[in-house]
Amino acid sequence: SMVMAIQDDACDEHNTQIVSGKFPVSNACGQYGLSYQDIRCTAVDKDKECPLDPNQSFSAVTRALYDRAPQPFKCAPKSQYPVTGYWDDRRIEE
């Protein structure tokens, strides 16, 4: 997904992992077995690591360039998005 973002000249990661034929909106929190909040810097870069902010939220700006691509990522605490669904590329809606 990072490679795809680089190919599309985007600053944001794209939703690329399909689960049961759909793109989960929860991929914003991690794809392909990763949990983005659990990623840590190596010992060499530890001084650049920021502490986890459980109230942080963000919305990406870019998305993949192909037709019917999922919308840009958005991520926030469960209090803001208690339930996430799937991107429906046939109906072009969440």
Side-chain angles (χ1 to χ4, degrees):
S1 51
M2 278 193 230
V3 170
M4 185 180 213
I6 292 167
Q7 289 173 343
D8 290 344
D9 194 25
C11 293
D12 302 310
E13 184 175 356
H14 299 149
N15 192 342
T16 60
Q17 183 183 20
I18 298 172
V19 177
S20 300
K22 300 176 185 175
F23 294 96
V25 174
S26 61
N27 279 352
C29 301
Q31 298 185 88
Y32 303 101
L34 290 174
S35 170
Y36 295 148
Q37 74 178 19
D38 296 328
I39 294 174
R40 298 291 179 259
C41 292
T42 63
V44 174
D45 292 325
K46 197 71 172 167
D47 62 320
K48 299 173 187 162
E49 186 173 292
C50 297
L52 177 65
D53 179 354
N55 297 311
Q56 181 179 13
S57 63
F58 75 88
S59 293
V61 176
T62 60
R63 66 185 187 105
L65 298 176
Y66 63 90
D67 289 340
R68 301 179 182 274
Q71 292 298 301
F73 275 142
K74 57 186 175 188
C75 192
K78 283 189 176 187
S79 59
Q80 190 172 347
Y81 295 117
V83 177
T84 61
Y86 293 89
W87 173 253
D88 186 332
D89 64 344
R90 290 186 182 96
R91 294 171 55 184
I92 313 177
E93 65 182 14
E94 194 175 307

